[in-house]
């Protein structure tokens, strides 16, 4: 081989290696961050309550919700890539105000309540290590998160989120330390257990609601727009459109992220089901109690890992919720909304982030029970998510909007099955109240 040819070959190899590393970094960024954000403190609280109340009988919900999570998050990703716009900007342009505003209010309420509950859960776990008044911890946590959002660049925030996502592996370790019975694990995973009771249906709706939370859709569509802006595509015309290879890459990213999220969900239910439920501790009052309750049953390491997971993922999930709410409202009001913009360039957007964070803090001054609030937040998401999901499916099937990137037959089938499942779960809860 000539010297020139050898040089070109080496350059091509290096270029390919750089591209592969960049693709891997994206997968470990967008997909895993979105999946980790889904396992926020509210989700952890809901899954812990599910395990404590019903043991390993709800392990089956993890593999069942995985394909549904992939479908809805991928649709949101595709919508953001093809249109070059955030989810609620597209909804605003396509539907009347009487459809837009009720849906927006439901999503904003769900995001803010869940952010407040997450901050409470983080404070309760931090209180284990720092015995100071919990509300002081709430204020410190919220201030830290807000400073990160306002003064951190988009790239810096994304990279911080990647590392925080890894903290969720603590729940895998916690589950192994619990030493569950293998036969019970297999039965709980592959044989669905359903009870016609108010408590069971409430926790099932909460699990589905927090697994398919609305903030995931808005975050995923907006982060796709942010990624294009980072590539220099600052004009809408430059951001519109997506190639088949880009969409395949998104599918891979989201499969990895949602698999990560569901594995963590599985192990949280497993760890609490194999310990707390087995010991008869079915009523978990707060996140700190859930962590402490594991100590005599699975050892100090399990309790420590459980608490650290709640704290770390909260620093990831709360910004996703408050920033997601700010994206949604700013897009409906026609305000500039981008984490690439400096605060002075998008004052209203950053003011909304601060406002939603402050409201989440004020919710904690009302003295609600942190763990119950986490479960209630999941139920709120369970009711606010179905209509938004319905419109996402309708929009991604609209050829005027999506062109030749409308949903395939199989994706449509899975998407409509998900819509039916989440509507059924939401209807099932009020029915259970009559039991």
């Amino acid at each position: 081989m000539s010297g020139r040819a050898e040089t070109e070959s080496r350059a091509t190899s290096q270029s390919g290696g750089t591209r592969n590393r960049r693709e891997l970094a994206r997968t470990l960024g967008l997909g895993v961050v979105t999946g980790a954000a889904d396992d926020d403190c509210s989700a952890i609280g809901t899954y812990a309550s599910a395990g404590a109340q019903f043991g390993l009988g709800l392990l089956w919900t993890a593999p069942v919700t995985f394909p549904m999570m992939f479908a809805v998050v991928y649709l949101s990703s595709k919508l953001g890539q093809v249109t070059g716009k955030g989810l609620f900007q597209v909804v605003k342009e396509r539907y009347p105000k009487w459809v837009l505003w009720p849906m927006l209010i439901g999503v904003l309420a769900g995001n803010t309540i869940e952010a407040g509950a997450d901050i409470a859960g983080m404070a309760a776990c931090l209180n284990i290590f720092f015995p100071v008044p919990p509300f002081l911890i709430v204020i410190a946590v919220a201030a830290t998160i807000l400073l990160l959002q306002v003064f951190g660049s988009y790239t810096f925030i994304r990279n911080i989120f990647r590392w925080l996502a890894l903290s969720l592996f603590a729940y895998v370790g916690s589950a192994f330390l619990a030493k569950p019975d293998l036969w019970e694990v297999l039965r709980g995973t592959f044989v669905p257990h359903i009870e016609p009771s108010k408590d069971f249906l409430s926790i099932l709706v909460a699990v589905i609601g927090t697994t398919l939370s609305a903030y995931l859709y808005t975050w995923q569509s907006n982060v796709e727009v942010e990624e294009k802006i980072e590539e220099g595509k600052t004009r809408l015309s430059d951001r519109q459109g997506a190639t088949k290879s880009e969409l395949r890459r998104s599918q891979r990213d989201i499969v990895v992220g949602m698999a990560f999220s569901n594995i963590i969900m599985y192990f949280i239910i497993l760890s609490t089901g194999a310990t707390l439920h087995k010991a008869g501790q079915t009523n978990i009052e707060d996140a700190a109690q859930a962590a402490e309750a594991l100590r005599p049953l699975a050892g100090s390491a399990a309790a420590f890992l459980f608490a650290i997971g709640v704290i770390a993922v909260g620093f990831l999930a709360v910004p996703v919720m408050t920033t997601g709410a700010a994206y949604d409202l700013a897009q409906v009001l026609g305000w500039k909304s981008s984490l690439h913009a400096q605060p002075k360039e998008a004052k209203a957007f950053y003011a909304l982030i601060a406002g939603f964070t402050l409201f989440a803090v004020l919710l904690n001054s009302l003295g609600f029970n942190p763990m119950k609030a986490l479960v209630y937040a999941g139920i709120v998401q369970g009711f606010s998510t179905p209509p938004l999901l319905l419109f996402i499916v309708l929009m991604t099937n609209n050829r005027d909007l999506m062109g030749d990137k409308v949903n395939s037959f199989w994706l449509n089938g899975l998407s409509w099955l998900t819509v039916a499942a989440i509507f059924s779960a939401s209807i099932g809860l009020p029915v259970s109240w009559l039991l």
Side-chain angles (χ1 to χ4, degrees):
M1 182 181 291
S2 68
R4 179 179 178 182
E6 185 176 348
T7 300
E8 290 177 351
S9 176
R10 188 182 303 113
T12 301
S13 177
Q14 291 174 345
S15 175
T18 301
R19 184 169 58 251
N20 290 337
R21 287 192 295 271
R22 189 163 55 245
E23 292 294 318
L24 177 61
R26 175 189 163 94
T27 298
L28 296 178
L30 299 189
V32 171
V33 165
T34 302
D38 189 45
D39 287 331
D40 68 309
C41 303
S42 173
I44 292 168
T46 300
Y47 304 151
S49 293
Q53 289 184 62
F54 300 100
L56 307 186
L58 282 170
L59 286 177
W60 60 269
T61 57
V64 166
T65 56
F66 168 65
M68 294 191 289
M69 289 176 66
F70 163 76
V72 296
V73 175
Y74 173 62
L75 292 186
S76 302
S77 170
K78 185 168 69 168
L79 187 68
Q81 289 185 76
V82 173
T83 65
K85 304 172 185 176
L87 174 57
F88 267 93
Q89 186 175 350
V90 180
V91 174
K92 176 188 176 183
E93 295 171 356
R94 308 291 302 188
Y95 294 100
K97 291 182 179 179
W98 64 267
V99 170
L100 170 67
W101 279 100
M103 194 158 46
L104 176 65
I105 291 170
V107 170
L108 296 182
N111 279 26
T112 308
I113 292 171
E114 192 152 351
D118 279 3
I119 292 173
M122 295 167 65
C125 284
L126 280 166
N127 197 233
I128 296 174
F129 309 106
F130 305 102
V132 298
F135 193 67
L136 293 181
I137 300 178
V138 166
I139 294 173
V141 166
T144 302
I145 290 172
L146 184 59
L147 288 172
L148 172 67
Q149 292 168 278
V150 174
F151 296 106
S153 68
Y154 169 74
T155 304
F156 175 74
I157 292 171
R158 183 189 60 194
N159 290 338
I160 290 292
F161 283 2
R162 283 178 184 166
W163 288 108
L164 288 173
L166 298 179
S167 68
L168 285 169
F169 280 112
Y171 294 111
V172 178
S174 181
F176 278 108
L177 289 170
K179 299 178 181 178
D181 179 84
L182 180 58
W183 170 245
E184 290 184 10
V185 171
L186 292 174
R187 184 173 59 185
T189 304
F190 298 107
V191 181
H193 170 76
I194 298 176
E195 297 178 13
S197 67
K198 175 183 175 180
D199 289 342
F200 184 88
L201 290 177
S202 294
I203 202 70
L204 183 60
V205 171
V207 167
I208 294 175
T210 196
T211 302
L212 300 171
S213 295
Y215 67 82
L216 290 183
Y217 317 154
T218 58
W219 173 260
Q220 188 66 36
S221 64
N222 284 304
V223 81
E224 295 291 356
V225 175
E226 295 283 15
E227 287 291 313
K228 289 195 173 188
I229 293 174
E230 188 174 35
E231 294 171 2
K233 300 176 181 179
T234 55
R235 295 183 303 178
L236 176 61
S237 58
D238 294 331
R239 295 196 300 270
Q240 291 177 320
T243 65
K244 290 183 178 180
S245 62
E246 288 173 334
L247 293 178
R248 282 195 298 268
R249 181 186 63 188
S250 294
Q251 288 180 352
R252 182 197 62 210
D253 297 347
I254 292 165
V255 164
V256 171
M258 296 308 103
F260 174 76
S261 176
N262 277 66
I263 288 169
I264 302 304
M265 167 189 176
Y266 182 89
F267 279 102
I268 293 172
I269 296 174
L270 178 57
S271 62
T272 54
T275 52
L276 304 183
H277 179 79
K278 193 172 182 179
Q281 298 185 34
T282 59
N283 186 27
I284 302 300
E285 292 296 328
D286 56 43
Q289 181 186 345
E292 286 294 338
L294 286 173
R295 190 183 304 276
L297 301 170
S300 297
F304 177 80
L305 290 174
F306 191 94
I308 289 298
V310 171
I311 295 165
V313 79
F315 279 107
L316 185 159
V318 172
V320 168
M321 293 171 199
T322 54
T323 305
Y327 275 128
D328 300 341
L329 185 54
Q331 287 166 10
V332 169
L333 297 175
W335 298 343
K336 184 174 183 178
S337 57
S338 173
L339 288 173
H340 278 94
Q342 295 297 316
K344 62 182 179 181
E345 300 170 337
K347 294 179 181 178
F349 173 61
Y350 284 99
L352 287 177
I353 294 176
F356 285 120
T357 304
L358 177 61
F359 194 77
V361 170
L362 292 177
L363 287 176
N364 283 275
S365 67
L366 301 178
F368 55 71
N369 179 289
M371 184 59 75
K372 289 183 179 178
L374 293 173
V375 177
Y376 292 153
I379 293 174
V380 170
Q381 292 284 9
F383 281 110
S384 63
T385 297
L388 181 60
L389 176 54
L390 173 63
F391 283 104
I392 290 173
V393 176
L394 292 174
M395 288 188 293
T396 51
N397 275 302
N398 188 318
R399 287 194 176 275
D400 291 338
L401 183 65
M402 303 297 292
D404 63 349
K405 301 302 186 300
V406 292
N407 302 334
S408 66
F409 174 81
W410 293 108
L411 182 58
N412 257 333
L414 182 56
S415 301
W416 284 115
L417 179 63
T418 305
V419 170
I422 197 165
F423 267 101
S424 298
S426 298
I427 293 170
L429 182 58
V431 170
S432 72
W433 295 337
L434 302 176
L435 297 176

